[in-house]
Amino acid sequence: MTTGSVRVRRAVGALVAVLAAVLGVLGGAGTASAHAALVSTGPAQESVVPRPPSAVTLTFGEGVTLPADSLRVFDPAGGRVDAGAPGHPGGRADTVRVALRGGLADGTYTVAWRVVSEDSHPLGGAFTFSVGAPSAGSVPAAALRGPRTDGLVAFLYGTGRAVAYAAFALLAGAVAFVLVCWPAGASVPQVQRLLAAGWIGLLGSTVVLMMLRGPYEQGGGIAPSADPASAHVHVPVDERIYLALAARLLLLAAGGVFLVLLVGQLGRPGTEAAGRSRSRLGTAGLALAVGLSATWVVTDHSSEGAQVWLALPVTALHLLAMAAWLGGLATLAAGLRQGIVPAAVERFSRVALVSVTVLVLTGLYRSWREVGSWGALSGTGYGRLLLVKIGCVALMVAAAWVSRSRLARLRTGAEAREGGSARAGLRRSVLAESAVAVVVLAVTTVLTSSPPGRTASAAGGSAPRSTAAPAADAAPGRTATLRIPFDTGGRTANARGTATVVLVPAAAGGWTVRLRLAEAGGGPADEPEVRLAFTLPARDLGPLRPALRRDGAGRWSGAVRLAPAGDWTVAVTVRSSDIDEATSARQLTVGG
């Protein structure tokens, strides 16, 4: 065994040890088991309590972190009555509590909340409760909006995420191309520059994301706040995304050593030692790629919701297949200018075919899991973005077929007869694939930062499907009735019908809600789950979700307070089976 081979074996062993440590850190971070929906509040929403409470408590379906001003309580006049910073009572990550000032007067109090779920997405809402008896409220709409992420911070953070995805695809795909398709490419300067660009881009974007995560969560700017109070706001540094980014930096340090070994060993092809090094480097490279993909997987949509045990590996496969295809395309484009042999192009063609197959299969599962229904596919922002991504991938597949036909001309000797036109044509089709790949990466970045279609439909405030019916009016002292057709896309009798929402005036600006669901044939639609949400888009208020109690087959009732006046959106979410769900909406004008 040569001295160089021994060094490679030892280096690979060290890389595997580092990977094991990193995966241990990520494994200890845990995964979420449900969406970060608001489960309960204390006092209860729309309740009337006889005495002022000492605190307000919110419980969510999963652990949450607390940005600045995450929980604010306003009295009937719009003044703040919360005292001190909100926190997690008893160390429970899914529970948030803030103390209230003493001596609160009777009347209706408004609670506005904003948290960050375990999959890194911000959530927010508002609700009311009353002490003694309900009263009219005058909480400023601006106060209910909560802190906003600085525009520059949001732009830089989004750009950093996009660069990270692109750099990972370039790095992992170029390494796979060299190891599987073109070992001699390790000695080509253009390929070496691609490897370096991927590594540097991923390293730099990861550092930027770590620096911007605090301001992004807290709704602050890049420069430190001049407000002395905000200077002491706790920025959570132990959140799972920080662990994932730190693990990514550690893996990149090991990846730098790996790249040096890759170029140094495969840059001398033709020896038995180089062949053994290629096998060991392939094992280490796969381990590093899986570890890097895990730093995304444990913080995105796959880490929460249903079937987490299956969603995590499926998402990792999806990400790795994307990198093998897109990063390999970039390397192939460089190789076509450097005299790459047709056999290497043929090998990549087979790799690309496997990658596309994996992308389609894993994409189908992810689409079903994260969209949830046909209605959410066209009725939510997430679903529409997913349709754009599917269209772009279809264009890439079409370009790939063109590339395969031009590759066949290279194999049959057309290259020599046509004076290089076959190679030039292949280069053009590969560049076309690469151009569409940039769009796919951009859409993927937006998708990972958007609430899934299933969650958006559940929230009732993310572009629900509207009906053609005109808006209804809810004048003071008068009952309002809204009829909202629904269609979950299922095949059962309760999958389509009409939801009738009746709002009856109650004391001090409140409304009693009566919900009746009827099947298309007119009978009651007894659904497994029904949700209502009220949103005031003009003032960025809501969604307000009244607690519904079942009054019989196809009937529910609850209470809600719709203040201030304006054009409210009433969204009805109907789930007719385990997988069929849809949200429909209609406008309700509430008078002053």
Side-chain angles (χ1 to χ4, degrees):
M1 183 178 293
T2 64
T3 303
S5 178
V6 172
R7 285 199 298 267
V8 171
R9 186 175 63 180
R10 290 175 177 173
V12 169
L15 290 176
V16 172
V18 170
L19 176 66
V22 170
L23 292 180
V25 171
L26 291 177
T31 57
S33 60
H35 295 298
L38 182 61
V39 175
S40 63
T41 66
Q45 301 184 40
E46 302 296 332
S47 65
V48 178
V49 295
R51 291 181 299 275
S54 60
V56 169
T57 304
L58 280 67
T59 302
F60 296 86
E62 67 175 35
V64 295
T65 55
L66 306 177
D69 266 353
S70 56
L71 194 56
R72 293 159 296 138
V73 184
F74 301 89
D75 62 19
R80 293 279 295 270
V81 295
D82 47 287
H88 297 291
R92 300 191 302 274
D94 63 346
T95 304
V96 180
R97 178 176 297 167
V98 66
L100 300 179
R101 298 175 184 172
L104 298 183
D106 288 353
T108 297
Y109 291 78
T110 303
V111 180
W113 56 271
R114 181 176 184 265
V115 297
V116 179
S117 68
E118 286 196 347
D119 64 353
S120 77
H121 295 300
L123 307 166
F127 67 93
T128 64
F129 69 92
S130 301
V131 177
S135 67
S138 58
V139 179
L144 294 177
R145 291 192 182 107
R148 286 284 187 263
T149 300
D150 180 80
L152 179 59
V153 170
F155 172 78
L156 293 177
Y157 191 82
T159 302
R161 288 172 59 90
V163 170
Y165 271 111
F168 172 74
L170 179 60
L171 176 61
V175 168
F177 191 96
V178 168
L179 286 170
V180 177
C181 307
W182 194 29
S187 61
V188 176
Q190 286 80 357
V191 175
Q192 293 175 1
R193 284 195 284 269
L194 286 179
L195 292 168
W199 186 83
I200 293 172
L202 188 52
L203 177 66
S205 59
T206 302
V207 171
V208 168
L209 290 175
M210 291 193 75
M211 294 175 62
L212 292 178
R213 183 64 194 183
Y216 179 77
E217 286 185 7
Q218 302 288 351
I222 293 180
S225 174
D227 184 4
S230 63
H232 299 287
V233 173
H234 173 63
V235 179
V237 296
D238 58 344
E239 189 191 355
R240 183 171 46 175
I241 194 167
Y242 286 97
L243 291 176
L245 292 173
R248 190 181 301 171
L249 291 177
L250 183 58
L251 285 168
L252 284 171
V257 177
F258 170 82
L259 292 180
V260 172
L261 293 172
L262 179 72
V263 173
Q265 295 298 317
L266 298 189
R268 301 193 302 271
T271 66
E272 182 181 354
R276 291 195 299 269
S277 297
R278 181 182 173 190
S279 176
R280 283 189 288 269
L281 288 169
T283 301
L286 178 61
L288 285 169
V290 171
L292 285 171
S293 69
T295 64
W296 275 279
V297 171
V298 299
T299 59
D300 75 354
H301 301 313
S302 60
S303 67
E304 48 86 28
Q307 299 178 341
V308 173
W309 60 272
L310 179 59
L312 291 175
V314 166
T315 303
L317 276 176
H318 191 83
L319 187 58
L320 292 171
M322 176 204 70
W325 187 17
L326 305 189
L329 279 174
T331 314
L332 175 60
L336 288 172
R337 294 182 177 274
Q338 302 299 318
I340 186 173
V341 295
V345 183
E346 174 65 23
R347 283 191 289 270
F348 176 70
S349 180
R350 292 193 292 268
V351 170
L353 179 60
V354 173
S355 298
V356 171
T357 303
V358 173
L359 279 171
V360 170
L361 294 177
T362 56
L364 285 174
Y365 171 76
R366 284 165 53 85
S367 299
W368 168 81
R369 181 179 182 271
E370 295 173 7
V371 176
S373 67
W374 291 110
L377 190 62
S378 60
T380 65
Y382 186 94
R384 290 189 288 269
L385 281 171
L386 184 59
L387 290 175
V388 172
K389 181 179 178 179
I390 292 172
C392 290
V393 171
L395 289 176
M396 288 187 65
V397 171
W401 278 110
V402 174
S403 298
R404 286 181 65 87
S405 65
R406 289 172 175 169
L407 173 62
R409 301 178 67 82
L410 284 178
R411 292 199 304 265
T412 57
E415 174 73 6
R417 295 195 304 271
E418 299 175 8
S421 62
R423 184 177 292 267
L426 178 59
R427 186 184 306 121
R428 286 193 296 271
S429 61
V430 168
L431 289 175
E433 284 186 75
S434 303
V436 182
V438 173
V439 180
V440 171
L441 287 171
V443 175
T444 300
T445 303
V446 179
L447 277 173
T448 57
S449 59
S450 303
R454 190 186 295 269
T455 304
S457 294
S462 299
R465 186 175 64 221
S466 297
T467 65
D473 292 327
R478 297 177 59 184
T479 298
T481 301
L482 302 89
R483 290 181 175 83
I484 309 175
F486 66 89
D487 184 353
T488 67
R491 297 184 178 181
T492 56
N494 64 342
R496 57 192 55 84
T498 302
T500 302
V501 181
V502 179
L503 295 169
V504 180
W511 298 85
T512 298
V513 180
R514 296 171 184 167
L515 174 62
R516 183 171 64 253
L517 267 63
E519 298 175 354
D526 198 12
E527 310 291 355
E529 184 177 7
V530 179
R531 298 185 296 275
L532 268 178
F534 296 82
T535 307
L536 185 61
R539 300 200 179 185
D540 199 16
L541 176 61
L544 306 179
R545 303 182 183 92
L548 298 177
R549 64 177 181 273
R550 186 182 293 269
D551 294 336
R555 294 177 179 271
W556 293 262
S557 63
V560 68
R561 184 173 301 276
L562 303 179
D567 293 330
W568 288 76
T569 297
V570 183
V572 180
T573 300
V574 178
R575 181 171 65 83
S576 59
S577 70
D578 288 341
I579 61 173
D580 297 316
E581 180 178 292
T583 299
S584 301
R586 185 177 168 188
Q587 184 173 298
L588 172 71
T589 301
V590 178

